[in-house]
Amino acid sequence: MKLADEFRTSTTAPDALDADVLVIGYGPVGQTLAALLGASGHRVLVCERRVGRYETPRAGHFDHEIMRVFQSLGIADDVRRIAEPARVYEFLDPDGSVISRLPREGAAPSGWDASYHFYQPELEDALDAAVRGAATVDVRFGAELVDLRQAADHVAVTLADGEVVTARYVVGADGANSRVRTLCGVPTRDLGFRGDWLVVDVRPRPGAPVPDIPDTGQVLDPARPNHMGRVAQRYFRWEFMLVEGDDATEMVKPERVWELLRPWIGPREGELIRQAVYRFRSVVADTFRHRSVLLAGDAAHVMPPFLGQGMSSGIRDAATLGWTLDLVLAGAADPKLLDLYTLSRRPQVVDYIEESVRIGTVVCETDPVLAARRREEMRSATELPAPFQPPVGAGFRDGQPLAGHLAVQPLLRTDGGRTERSDDVLGRGFTLFSVVEPDAATTAAVADLERAIGLRLVVVGAAGVEEAGEALSGWLKESGVVAVLVRPDFYVFGAAADLSEMVGLLASLRASLSLV
């Protein structure tokens, strides 16, 4: 029997525990979750096995939804200073000519640019500042997990130095080789993609010419599929697939790396920051919850990088855990609410993995005939694919327009005459947006949920808050509804086609949250 399976009776008072939530791992996912829970006043202890922050870049892309999460943490301006909008995603011939161009410009639902590139150590600086700004969060470096035991009402974690720390919940955000997941015995499923790639990050030398490469470019070269992209304009990344006959130890040697980079940049113009061979995989845990232990980020799922959604999916995990754990820790909801986490997150993650694998299959084709056929199919396509934005898998009212899908973030005009994004005006939490005035029954139902979970009702229009533009009102009109109920992680719980449906919508929310 694994230690994590030992379930023991305990009546430990919450205040006697070291933390409400113990987060294992201090990458972007662990940082985001710690900052969200700390902002809600919960006691959080973060244990990171490294003796300091990991200063090597890994992820390089996030999307508008993730920028909205950063906005909720109050660091959007800091992130904007170190991240650059990624305007175009291109598929290229082996000679570098454009086969297909997917624009990423225009308004995105979350009220931010559709995509961003960034240098991960700089992003982690911004997230670290948000964590350090929360008085109830403690971060410990050099604190390595070696054992984990679950009792009825808490988890005890033993660290490498022999110290035992306790918390009501533990979140494993400790990467693809998660020790938390291993100790809990959570199985994983391989979704079938595997490929070894050399990843190279380069910093241009002062005064050197900027390499002429696209924001994001996938080169469909059967001889050696490769990728290139700008990382916040100050750094550049290339990725090269290992093909038959390659030796991984030889591929990372500087002379071999510069040979591969010769068409774009040389050692006089750039400095190697990182060169490493990674195995791109597609793996998902069978469950993201094992009683009082939860998994997030790469500990729960790993995907190929062709959509740039690996880190973003982990931060979505943190956003969902942030509000569900908040309700449970505050005593507003029964712990069974946490079952919603896997049901909500896992299906969407699988959708992202499968789409990443689909694109990867095209990119990684090494048969010259098949590769040429796929390039021609892409070149002759007459329509651009819609942005890939799958719904969550649960935690919404079935059968309703918009339910389970990402909500828009409208611009609102404040009393001071300024135009601001709605989250900056309203703060975080459940929000019922309506373009009609509520009746007495709806007002009473809203008041009940306001007391229970802090629900806000926002009437948009002549009689309420003035909207700048039509991001919200146009979205509702197009969907044939007059109101939409949005979760704290920005996904739609449900909608009302008219005033008569609002009370039922709110009652459905109360039932779904396991409120006590």
Side-chain angles (χ1 to χ4, degrees):
M1 178 181 291
K2 291 183 172 61
L3 294 176
D5 290 330
E6 295 185 4
F7 194 76
R8 303 176 178 181
T9 302
S10 174
T11 56
T12 306
D15 289 346
L17 301 175
D18 295 300
D20 297 318
V21 179
L22 171 60
V23 178
I24 306 297
Y26 198 57
V29 176
Q31 289 178 307
T32 300
L33 179 59
L36 287 169
L37 292 173
S40 297
H42 301 297
R43 296 178 305 140
V44 180
L45 172 61
V46 183
C47 288
E48 166 57 53
R49 66 181 179 85
R50 299 179 184 277
V51 296
R53 296 243 311 280
Y54 190 44
E55 295 299 331
T56 301
R58 287 92 69 209
H61 169 269
F62 63 83
D63 63 21
H64 55 95
E65 182 184 352
I66 305 312
M67 189 59 147
R68 191 173 179 182
V69 176
F70 297 152
Q71 177 192 354
S72 75
L73 292 174
I75 61 172
D77 287 341
D78 294 327
V79 174
R80 289 177 75 181
R81 282 191 282 272
I82 59 94
E84 293 283 347
R87 304 296 191 189
V88 178
Y89 190 122
E90 295 178 337
F91 290 91
L92 307 173
D93 265 321
D95 65 4
S97 59
V98 176
I99 302 170
S100 177
R101 180 177 286 115
L102 305 180
R104 289 167 161 171
E105 296 178 313
S110 302
W112 294 94
D113 282 285
S115 293
Y116 294 85
H117 284 156
F118 68 99
Y119 183 66
Q120 185 165 337
E122 295 176 343
L123 176 65
E124 292 192 23
D125 285 343
L127 285 166
D128 182 66
V131 172
R132 303 290 179 177
T136 58
V137 179
D138 179 25
V139 179
R140 298 187 192 176
F141 290 100
E144 182 176 4
L145 164 73
V146 296
D147 191 12
L148 181 154
R149 299 182 183 222
Q150 296 199 61
D153 55 3
H154 74 274
V155 184
V157 167
T158 303
L159 302 178
D161 63 0
E163 181 184 5
V164 176
V165 294
T166 56
R168 288 183 63 184
Y169 295 96
V170 168
V171 177
D174 52 341
N177 298 316
S178 170
R179 184 167 290 175
V180 173
R181 187 187 66 236
T182 299
L183 287 171
C184 288
V186 175
T188 61
R189 183 160 64 98
D190 192 320
L191 298 182
F193 184 91
R194 181 169 298 189
D196 293 336
W197 283 66
L198 170 67
V199 180
V200 180
D201 285 292
V202 177
R203 179 190 293 114
R205 297 190 186 279
V210 175
D212 183 19
I213 65 173
D215 277 355
T216 303
Q218 297 285 2
V219 183
L220 307 186
D221 183 357
R224 186 182 298 282
N226 61 91
H227 161 275
M228 65 192 77
R230 299 170 182 266
V231 182
Q233 301 298 324
R234 298 176 298 281
Y235 307 92
F236 296 85
R237 176 169 295 176
W238 284 266
E239 298 172 355
F240 302 92
M241 192 175 99
L242 272 61
V243 296
E244 186 176 355
D246 285 335
D247 182 335
T249 58
E250 294 295 320
M251 292 292 288
V252 299
K253 291 182 177 179
E255 57 271 22
R256 178 58 175 141
V257 173
W258 286 119
E259 180 183 348
L260 291 167
L261 294 177
R262 186 179 301 148
W264 304 280
I265 195 170
R268 292 185 178 181
E269 295 80 36
E271 170 192 359
L272 295 179
I273 302 173
R274 169 186 67 150
Q275 66 266 25
V277 171
Y278 289 89
R279 174 155 290 175
F280 295 164
R281 298 182 296 155
S282 55
V283 178
V284 63
D286 285 358
T287 180
F288 296 178
R289 181 189 182 194
H290 183 272
R291 293 202 289 270
S292 296
V293 177
L294 304 117
L295 303 174
D298 285 357
H301 44 78
V302 178
M303 65 186 71
F306 304 108
L307 268 182
Q309 288 293 332
M311 185 195 77
S312 292
S313 292
I315 290 178
R316 291 185 187 96
D317 295 343
T320 301
L321 278 176
W323 72 263
T324 51
L325 278 170
D326 177 40
L327 289 181
V328 172
L329 292 169
D334 188 273
K336 68 182 180 182
L337 174 65
L338 297 176
D339 289 336
L340 176 65
Y341 174 53
T342 298
L343 297 173
S344 180
R345 293 292 312 125
R346 192 176 186 277
Q348 188 191 55
V349 164
V350 171
D351 284 344
Y352 274 117
I353 292 175
E354 290 178 343
E355 180 66 5
S356 298
V357 170
R358 186 190 69 79
I359 295 174
T361 301
V362 174
V363 171
C364 298
E365 182 57 68
T366 56
D367 183 291
V369 175
L370 289 177
R373 183 183 305 163
R374 285 175 171 165
R375 292 198 302 271
E376 188 55 37
E377 288 172 353
M378 296 178 69
R379 203 185 325 270
S380 60
T382 57
E383 294 185 6
L384 294 175
F388 190 75
Q389 191 75 56
V392 291
F396 53 85
R397 199 175 186 190
D398 288 332
Q400 288 203 314
L402 305 177
H405 290 271
L406 189 65
V408 304
Q409 178 178 199
L411 295 173
L412 303 179
R413 298 194 191 281
T414 66
D415 292 339
R418 294 187 299 173
T419 297
E420 298 186 45
R421 294 179 177 88
S422 62
D423 293 355
D424 292 332
V425 177
L426 305 172
R428 293 181 297 157
F430 287 91
T431 305
L432 177 63
F433 286 102
S434 174
V435 293
V436 298
E437 284 286 337
D439 56 17
T442 300
T443 300
V446 167
D448 174 58
L449 285 170
E450 182 181 12
R451 289 188 293 270
I453 61 171
L455 173 76
R456 293 84 50 89
L457 169 64
V458 180
V459 179
V460 178
V465 178
E466 183 182 356
E467 181 182 9
E470 297 182 343
L472 176 70
S473 56
W475 181 56
L476 297 184
K477 183 177 180 180
E478 181 180 355
S479 303
V481 299
V482 300
V484 63
L485 181 52
V486 181
R487 304 185 335 186
D489 57 1
F490 319 129
Y491 284 87
V492 174
F493 172 80
D498 54 42
L499 184 57
S500 67
E501 294 186 359
M502 286 200 196
V503 171
L505 175 63
L506 294 168
S508 180
L509 175 66
R510 169 174 272 282
S512 76
L513 294 181
S514 303
L515 297 185
V516 297

